[in-house]
Amino acid sequence: MSWQTYVDEHLMCEIEGHHLTAAAIIGHDGSVWAQSASFPKFKPEEFTNIMNDFNEPGTLAPVGLFIGSTKYMVIQGEPGAVIRGKKGSGGITIKKTGQALIVGLYDEPMTPGQCNMVVERLGDYLLDQGM
């Protein structure tokens, strides 16, 4: 299965009538493996800051998480495994696997829990596959 298929069929799928607004699978080196058409263009330093927070949890909380110049307030996550952020009625979930980051962006009426479930389920599956 191609990485784009994972984005299209697993991340951008319908959950209780709702969809993520954007999603991507990004390698640990910052290369985009696959993304939805609506995924924002991110800056290299934004990606570096996210990877640093996975390696040293808590570094993003004081300054916020940026993707495509949009700032998200960092909320509870799982240190070294999941980063979650909130902005207004939407937010972001990022799950780290052995080789990639699974990123999902959402807005109401999708809930944070639905976004977490979609992103983390694919991340857990890829971890189980050695990815």
Side-chain angles (χ1 to χ4, degrees):
M1 187 180 311
S2 77
W3 291 113
Q4 192 61 50
T5 303
Y6 281 111
V7 170
D8 296 342
E9 295 181 8
H10 297 280
L11 293 175
M12 298 302 290
C13 65
E14 183 176 308
I15 300 290
E16 298 173 23
H18 310 302
H19 297 84
L20 293 173
T21 56
I25 301 173
I26 304 169
H28 286 185
D29 62 357
S31 61
V32 176
W33 293 4
Q35 65 183 13
S36 64
S38 56
F39 194 78
K41 177 125 178 79
F42 60 90
K43 299 175 183 151
E45 62 269 17
E46 293 172 340
F47 183 80
T48 300
N49 291 340
I50 291 167
M51 287 303 293
N52 287 343
D53 193 80
F54 277 116
N55 296 327
E56 295 178 42
T59 57
L60 283 178
V63 294
L65 161 66
F66 288 85
I67 290 278
S69 300
T70 299
K71 182 179 180 178
Y72 295 88
M73 178 179 66
V74 177
I75 55 176
Q76 98 294 349
E78 297 167 29
V82 179
I83 298 171
R84 297 183 186 106
K86 187 90 173 109
K87 177 178 174 43
S89 62
I92 185 170
T93 301
I94 306 172
K95 169 80 175 180
K96 183 180 181 192
T97 71
Q99 299 176 26
L101 301 182
I102 314 304
V103 183
L105 302 170
Y106 70 94
D107 216 334
E108 286 184 342
M110 184 172 242
T111 67
Q114 289 169 326
C115 178
N116 295 343
M117 183 180 70
V118 170
V119 171
E120 294 175 38
R121 181 176 58 194
L122 179 59
D124 289 341
Y125 170 79
L126 293 175
L127 280 167
D128 288 346
Q129 301 303 307
M131 302 297 287

